Amino acid sequence: MSIEGVSPFANPVWPPAGIAQAGLLLFGSKVWPAIVLGRFLLYLVNPTQQVFAVWMGGNAGAILQAVFAVTALRWLGFRPSLARLKDVVNLILFGGLISTQISCTIGLFSLYLAGQVDWAEYLSVRWDWWLGDTMGVLILTPLILIFLRPKVTVERLKIQTEHQKKDFIWRVVWLILLIGVSCIVFVSKNEASISRYPLEYLPFPLIIWSALQFGQRAAVLASFIVSSIAIMGSSYGGGPFIAKAENITQAILFLQAFMAVVTITSLLLATTVAERAEAENSLRESEIKYRELVENANSIILKLDADGNITFFNEFAEKFFGYKVEEILGKNPVGTILPHTDLEGNNLELVYNEILHNPARFLSYENENMRRSGDRVWVSWANKPLVDSAGKLLEILCIGTDITDRRKAEMALLDLNEELEIRVEERTNALKQSELQLQKQKSALIDLAKNKALNQGDLTKALQEITETASRTLEVARSSVWLYDRTKSKIECLDLFDSALNQHSDGWELAAADYPVYFQALREERAIPAFDAQKDFRTREFVESYLIPLGITSMLDTPIQIGGQTAGVLCLEHVGMPRFWTIEEQSFAVSLADSVTFAMEARERQRAEEALRQAEAKYRSIFENAIVGIFQTTPDGEYLSVNPALIRIYGYSSCEELMANLTNINRQLYVYPERRAEVINLMRTNGKVSDLESQVYRQDGSIIWISENAYTVCDREGNLLYYEGTVEDITTRKQAEAALRLEQEKSDRLLLNILPQAIAERLKQDQSIIADTFAEVTVLFADIVGFTQISSQISPPELVSLLNEIFSTFDRLAEKHGLEKIKTIGDAYMVVGGLPMPRSGHAEAIAEMALDMQQAITDFSNTHNQAFSIRIGINSGPVVAGVIGIKKFIYDLWGDTVNTASRMESHGLPGCIQITETTYQQLQEKYSFENRGAIEVKGKGEMTTYLLKCRKLL
């Protein structure tokens, strides 16, 4: 519509602005070409637009306006449903007032460039243009968004439909009144005498009525109808705005101001009403939900007033304690559901009074309670004090869980746990002792490595230090070092330390001809750990002449290797009861033998260094007191020079032999040939390598660990000349580390024998309490029928052996089916599927294990010629699993699922597998069952159960 006297480039309301913005908000940026198409059609039908610059400017302005508005609104979290007040405010500000500045500015500037508008008219036309776009957005965009917003839920649509049916007549009345009043006000031409009255606000009550009574759609429709009629009336010269205004521009301004007030008021009012109604609905739904939760909860829920009387008692509490609500409300728990004293004689009345006076101290506790029948039960209570704004206690909300079965189980397990704890403690002490021994051995080796006599070539003093260290660390009676003569026909004692006499001696000799078996063992074996030296075939040759006279019962003899050859033996002799030599002790003895080798090599090295200093003065500083291998190599991998330590490390007898045989380090030295390339790349990148560990071959083909430090040597121009560095034999250290890792693995295996791996890993991370909820698991209880009678007929050792054999078979079945054994309770066995790592098919896995357990018991009966039978109970459902306490850990389960599975076993039939309805639903497609019907289950009432027979044949 156009109004006579108004600029052809500005309209009171520009609908395309609102339509474009609504389209982008609803359908995304993919519909922006529709804006271009609309401008093109306008270009064809409107003579004022048929200028290319005008068309281009209009396109750019319209697209940028819509895109900016949509981007800003989405950044602010705008929802097209306009269900929130902040969405309406953001639409008014960013969609209606701010973004429209873009279109009017760019579009009018294109008109100016095309000569359609004079510069003197720029600001006034721009104002009219902006108001038209703004009104288009405020009127059309909400209308489109609300009428095209996504469908509501079925329930909400049902409610709205019912309301619409009830309000249909009123809607018709409202619509007729709105159109009629609007036509009277805006279409008819008013007399000057009545034009001064604010007739334009007569439709306002109807707009407010629509917002309050009929919602957002009616409100935006009302503003659209009123605005449309107002524009139409004004275009024909009617309405209050034409009559009041001094000129047509002022009339249009009045009209636009009126439409803005109508639109914004209706939007804000309708959205506010909708928000409040939504909040009321949510509050009402929440109240219903929580009321149902409390009434139907499987927990005891009650409230106490400030005087300690019961003010609320839920349905579960009625069933649990045996009281009706009307019987218990207003009464004190003491004497009704709480006995005056528990079975141990504790005064519970005093405890209850303390709870009322200091409720914050008793947020969580366990105590003995009493049913109406007089039965004593245990309940775990969680309390929540409810106070007023002044902090005065109003009520106490108490939520209780029945833990009677758990308490009974804890008492039954106490004796068994004590035995297990003793075993674990013994093993732990053994591990600790092993760790202490390893630490002691490590410290001894470090002290030896730092010993001056060992490093300076004082062989006599070094051997004395080594033998004393061996006796002191391993607590042996005698330690000695023996070396072969040049012909290797005998060994001579260089030092023997007697710890009882605290003195050293030497000079003893042993001929190979007298003890051929022993000398052969020295050549062939890494060590001779003789538990009973007098019976061991390798050492019994010494019985008459050596062992019996000196009272020696055990021996640990370790060959001393020099240059890859056996040069002697380190002998450790134990007096007293025969002694088992552990792997750690044997490794320590090997390290001591290496220390002897090192001491002897140190002596030889000193001699060699002295000769080297006299022959080659320029290398004196390098080879003096060197205890590690030193080398120089060409870039191609050939040795230029090596020191004796490197020769020893690599197992060669001389420098010449090493350099003659090791002609290509890349291929001959490293176990992994690519390691040499890695070393060279590191030196090229960093100029050096430090403490680089590698595995290399010795001359005899054995593999050792070395630590390299090397760097590049270049001339003044930076050209590489050779590589130079040191090598240290770290094999002993690596072996010690491996031994330590082995002990750690033993500790881990012990822990994994007690707890699941995932739980053990969490305990290692110092989690003091572990409790997890599993929504779906399957629990199996098995009990040996007639076990009490069997236990009275055999001795305790035979009884334990019998149980161990049966339960070990069950353990292997649990591992086979991927299940988690929880515990054994006397002759009962408990296993679960689906935790600690959730898995599908847990019910099927438990069923397979149950069938295998029956077969295993049958086989066991046949093997032992005695009839054995078991009862098995299975149930599926949610449980809580975890480890609690700070000592003597055990991974256990809690919950009604566990209790029901136990009841299935205790109420089952000998030789049968009884399952609940829940488990039956999961297994009925794959297994055959016998419907046992409804049976009375203690604590559960009547339950329908099934007997699992076998797997169905496919």
Side-chain angles (χ1 to χ4, degrees):
M1 296 180 182
S2 61
I3 300 176
E4 185 178 355
V6 180
S7 170
F9 303 110
N11 293 278
V13 176
W14 184 244
I19 296 171
Q21 197 171 121
L24 289 185
L25 284 171
L26 289 173
F27 307 111
S29 58
K30 61 184 178 182
V31 301
W32 70 267
I35 302 176
V36 179
L37 178 62
R39 295 296 304 185
F40 178 73
L41 295 176
L42 181 63
Y43 175 80
L44 294 178
V45 301
N46 192 344
T48 62
Q49 300 286 330
Q50 292 179 0
V51 177
F52 183 74
V54 174
W55 181 73
M56 285 296 294
N59 267 330
I63 293 172
L64 288 176
Q65 171 185 313
V67 170
F68 171 80
V70 171
T71 302
L73 290 173
R74 287 178 177 171
W75 181 75
L76 292 169
F78 179 79
R79 296 180 186 174
S81 63
L82 294 177
R84 302 178 302 175
L85 188 60
K86 71 174 187 177
D87 294 331
V88 174
V89 174
N90 288 335
L91 179 64
I92 294 170
L93 290 177
F94 291 93
L97 300 179
I98 298 176
S99 66
T100 49
Q101 299 285 349
I102 299 174
S103 178
C104 68
T105 301
I106 297 176
L108 192 58
F109 189 71
S110 65
L111 289 175
Y112 170 74
L113 293 178
Q116 300 290 320
V117 176
D118 293 333
W119 185 253
E121 301 176 306
Y122 184 85
L123 291 179
S124 63
V125 175
R126 183 186 182 281
W127 170 260
D128 294 337
W129 189 321
W130 174 72
L131 287 176
D133 282 2
T134 299
M135 296 314 302
V137 170
L138 293 180
I139 295 174
L140 270 298
T141 299
L143 183 69
I144 295 172
L145 291 180
I146 290 176
F147 274 86
L148 294 182
R149 65 185 172 188
K151 295 181 179 179
V152 297
T153 61
V154 175
E155 291 297 326
R156 184 61 57 82
L157 184 61
K158 181 179 179 181
I159 295 173
Q160 290 182 357
T161 303
E162 292 175 354
H163 288 173
Q164 288 174 1
K165 290 179 180 179
K166 295 177 180 178
D167 297 339
F168 178 75
I169 297 176
W170 286 110
R171 290 174 184 267
V172 173
V173 171
W174 163 78
L175 184 60
I176 294 172
L177 290 175
L178 181 68
I179 295 174
V181 171
S182 299
C183 289
I184 293 172
V185 172
F186 299 110
V187 177
S188 61
K189 295 184 179 181
N190 299 322
E191 298 294 335
S193 60
I194 65 171
S195 62
R196 64 179 180 271
Y197 296 107
L199 300 177
E200 62 271 17
Y201 289 104
L202 287 177
F204 255 81
L206 296 172
I207 294 174
I208 294 174
W209 181 18
S210 67
L212 295 176
Q213 183 68 26
F214 307 123
Q216 281 182 306
R217 290 193 175 188
V220 296
L221 180 62
S223 63
F224 175 73
I225 292 173
V226 172
S227 299
S228 299
I229 295 175
I231 295 172
M232 181 182 69
S234 298
S235 66
Y236 290 108
F241 305 115
I242 299 297
K244 289 181 181 180
E246 298 178 357
N247 51 57
I248 192 62
T249 300
Q250 190 179 52
I252 294 302
L253 183 60
F254 287 163
L255 173 62
Q256 290 172 326
F258 169 76
M259 289 188 294
V261 171
V262 169
T263 302
I264 293 173
T265 301
S266 62
L267 270 176
L268 292 176
L269 182 59
T271 303
T272 302
V273 172
E275 273 193 340
R276 181 174 298 176
E278 184 67 24
E280 291 176 353
N281 289 334
S282 298
L283 183 61
R284 189 178 301 107
E285 292 173 359
S286 177
E287 181 184 356
I288 294 172
K289 178 179 68 176
Y290 286 112
R291 182 183 298 115
E292 292 177 349
L293 179 64
V294 169
E295 290 298 331
N296 300 320
N298 287 327
S299 297
I300 304 164
I301 302 177
L302 57 88
K303 281 186 180 181
L304 306 173
D305 60 20
D307 296 326
N309 297 320
I310 299 173
T311 59
F312 177 79
F313 208 65
N314 76 332
E315 184 178 346
F316 186 84
E318 291 184 65
K319 296 178 181 178
F320 184 79
F321 286 110
Y323 287 98
K324 296 294 183 181
V325 172
E326 56 271 15
E327 296 175 332
I328 199 70
L329 290 183
K331 293 186 178 181
N332 194 289
V334 178
T336 54
I337 64 174
L338 185 70
H340 292 278
T341 59
D342 61 19
L343 296 179
E344 296 180 357
N346 299 314
N347 192 328
L348 298 183
E349 186 173 2
L350 293 177
V351 175
Y352 183 68
N353 292 332
E354 182 65 20
I355 293 174
L356 294 177
H357 289 89
N358 298 286
R361 291 179 52 196
F362 295 88
L363 299 180
S364 178
Y365 65 96
E366 298 175 357
N367 67 268
E368 193 174 296
N369 287 80
M370 178 175 66
R371 287 179 170 152
R372 184 172 187 172
S373 61
D375 295 337
R376 298 295 179 98
V377 290
W378 275 87
V379 178
S380 175
W381 293 101
N383 295 344
K384 175 65 177 179
L386 306 177
V387 299
D388 58 16
S389 58
K392 181 181 178 182
L393 180 66
L394 299 177
E395 290 181 310
I396 301 177
L397 174 64
C398 306
I399 301 177
T401 303
D402 181 14
I403 60 169
T404 305
D405 292 336
R406 192 197 78 192
R407 293 285 297 190
K408 291 179 179 179
E410 288 173 353
M411 298 300 295
L413 286 173
L414 186 59
D415 293 337
L416 293 175
N417 285 344
E418 288 179 355
E419 181 182 351
L420 179 61
E421 288 165 3
I422 292 172
R423 293 182 180 180
V424 171
E425 185 175 0
E426 290 174 351
R427 183 56 182 161
T428 302
N429 291 334
L431 291 174
K432 289 181 179 178
Q433 186 64 33
S434 178
E435 291 177 1
L436 292 174
Q437 187 67 15
L438 285 175
Q439 186 63 37
K440 184 179 179 181
Q441 294 173 8
K442 180 179 178 182
S443 299
L445 291 176
I446 292 174
D447 292 340
L448 277 179
K450 296 179 180 178
N451 190 277
K452 292 183 179 180
L454 205 67
N455 293 301
Q456 294 177 357
D458 187 348
L459 186 60
T460 301
K461 182 64 176 175
L463 294 181
Q464 290 179 353
E465 291 289 344
I466 292 171
T467 54
E468 288 184 19
T469 298
S471 295
R472 183 174 59 252
T473 305
L474 295 181
E475 299 178 356
V476 294
R478 295 157 59 92
S479 302
S480 55
V481 176
W482 304 69
L483 291 183
Y484 282 108
D485 65 356
R486 291 183 179 180
T487 62
K488 291 197 173 183
S489 61
K490 63 180 180 179
I491 55 176
E492 180 182 356
C493 179
L494 298 188
D495 184 77
L496 185 150
F497 177 70
D498 191 322
S499 59
L501 302 176
N502 193 28
Q503 66 180 21
H504 294 268
S505 60
D506 57 49
W508 295 29
E509 292 184 353
L510 296 174
D514 297 331
Y515 310 101
V517 176
Y518 175 76
F519 274 78
Q520 182 179 356
L522 283 181
R523 291 191 300 270
E524 296 176 353
E525 299 190 25
R526 180 173 177 267
I528 304 175
F531 165 72
D532 188 343
Q534 298 181 13
K535 294 181 180 180
D536 194 297
F537 76 96
R538 297 166 296 185
T539 57
R540 63 189 176 192
E541 296 171 326
F542 299 107
V543 170
E544 299 296 335
S545 61
Y546 191 74
L547 300 180
I548 292 178
L550 297 175
I552 298 171
T553 55
S554 302
M555 296 176 63
L556 176 57
D557 290 3
T558 306
I560 299 171
Q561 300 288 329
I562 298 179
Q565 301 294 323
T566 302
V569 61
L570 171 69
C571 185
L572 306 177
E573 300 163 354
H574 175 73
V575 175
M577 295 296 294
R579 175 174 177 174
F580 176 77
W581 304 99
T582 65
I583 296 297
E584 294 81 6
E585 291 171 337
Q586 296 180 43
S587 298
F588 180 66
V590 171
S591 299
L592 291 176
D594 289 342
S595 297
V596 174
T597 301
F598 182 79
M600 297 179 65
E601 289 177 344
R603 182 182 65 177
E604 295 301 321
R605 184 170 58 251
Q606 278 197 337
R607 294 173 180 174
E609 287 174 355
E610 181 64 26
L612 186 61
R613 278 194 297 271
Q614 295 173 2
E616 299 178 81
K618 66 177 181 178
Y619 290 110
R620 183 173 304 168
S621 61
I622 299 176
F623 287 90
E624 185 177 2
N625 297 321
I627 61 174
V628 296
I630 303 172
F631 66 87
Q632 290 179 334
T633 66
T634 67
D636 296 330
E638 294 183 7
Y639 280 107
L640 296 174
S641 64
V642 295
N643 75 329
L646 190 67
I647 297 171
R648 175 187 61 79
I649 292 172
Y650 291 162
Y652 291 90
S653 58
S654 66
C655 174
E656 291 76 15
E657 182 184 11
L658 184 148
M659 297 183 70
N661 288 279
L662 272 179
T663 57
N664 191 315
I665 299 174
N666 299 344
R667 296 197 303 268
Q668 294 177 285
L669 181 62
Y670 290 94
V671 174
Y672 302 101
E674 65 274 9
R675 190 62 166 171
R676 173 68 175 178
E678 295 176 9
V679 173
I680 292 175
N681 288 334
L682 286 172
M683 287 193 289
R684 287 176 178 173
T685 303
N686 305 321
K688 65 176 182 179
V689 293
S690 300
D691 300 324
L692 186 67
E693 298 181 356
S694 307
Q695 286 183 294
V696 299
Y697 292 111
R698 299 189 78 214
Q699 190 270 343
D700 59 1
S702 61
I703 298 174
I704 62 172
W705 278 93
I706 62 169
S707 175
E708 290 184 84
N709 293 278
Y711 56 89
T712 58
V713 178
C714 303
D715 59 17
R716 293 182 178 180
E717 287 73 31
N719 298 316
L720 177 64
L721 297 177
Y722 55 87
Y723 301 119
E724 189 174 86
T726 62
V727 171
E728 181 182 0
D729 186 354
I730 60 171
T731 305
T732 301
R733 190 193 78 197
K734 285 288 188 177
Q735 291 171 344
E737 291 173 352
L740 286 174
R741 284 195 299 272
L742 180 61
E743 287 304 314
Q744 182 62 42
E745 290 173 0
K746 290 180 180 178
S747 300
D748 291 344
R749 284 198 297 273
L750 177 61
L751 189 59
L752 291 177
N753 280 334
I754 302 173
L755 300 172
Q757 181 174 0
I759 301 303
E761 292 298 329
R762 291 168 65 180
L763 279 177
K764 289 180 183 179
Q765 299 170 5
D766 293 331
Q767 292 193 17
S768 58
I769 296 178
I770 295 178
D772 302 308
T773 299
F774 295 90
E776 187 64 25
V777 303
T778 300
V779 182
L780 178 150
F781 278 90
D783 183 74
I784 300 176
V785 179
F787 180 79
T788 303
Q789 182 180 0
I790 295 173
S791 63
S792 64
Q793 298 172 355
I794 59 177
S795 65
E798 292 175 334
L799 179 64
V800 172
S801 176
L802 177 67
L803 279 178
N804 179 65
E805 187 174 354
I806 294 174
F807 287 169
S808 295
T809 301
F810 291 175
D811 289 346
R812 287 188 289 272
L813 290 176
E815 185 174 0
K816 169 186 174 183
H817 294 292
L819 303 173
E820 190 65 44
K821 172 188 176 183
I822 300 302
K823 59 187 173 183
T824 59
I825 309 170
D827 61 327
Y829 189 90
M830 178 181 178
V831 67
V832 64
L835 61 76
M837 301 301 294
R839 56 168 285 186
S840 59
H842 51 81
E844 185 176 348
I846 285 290
E848 290 294 333
M849 177 162 180
L851 294 172
D852 287 350
M853 290 170 73
Q854 285 188 328
Q855 183 60 45
I857 287 297
T858 300
D859 296 340
F860 190 79
S861 299
N862 295 334
T863 303
H864 290 75
N865 296 321
Q866 184 174 355
F868 291 93
S869 177
I870 59 172
R871 285 192 306 269
I872 298 177
I874 301 174
N875 184 32
S876 301
V879 298
V880 175
V883 179
I884 59 176
I886 60 175
K887 294 178 63 180
K888 305 174 182 177
F889 298 124
I890 182 173
Y891 186 71
D892 210 344
L893 309 181
W894 301 274
D896 184 65
T897 299
V898 179
N899 300 336
T900 303
S902 176
R903 292 288 187 269
M904 290 297 100
E905 178 273 320
S906 61
H907 290 68
L909 302 175
C912 294
I913 305 169
Q914 182 167 244
I915 69 171
T916 61
E917 176 74 27
T918 303
T919 308
Y920 170 76
Q921 293 299 327
Q922 300 184 40
L923 299 176
Q924 60 178 329
E925 299 297 329
K926 297 183 178 180
Y927 295 85
S928 296
F929 294 90
E930 175 186 334
N931 189 341
R932 192 181 177 190
I935 64 171
E936 184 67 26
V937 177
K938 182 179 179 181
K940 301 293 290 184
E942 284 194 353
M943 292 183 66
T944 299
T945 65
Y946 301 84
L947 299 181
L948 172 63
K949 294 301 183 180
C950 63
R951 175 178 280 276
K952 291 182 179 178
L953 296 178
L954 300 180

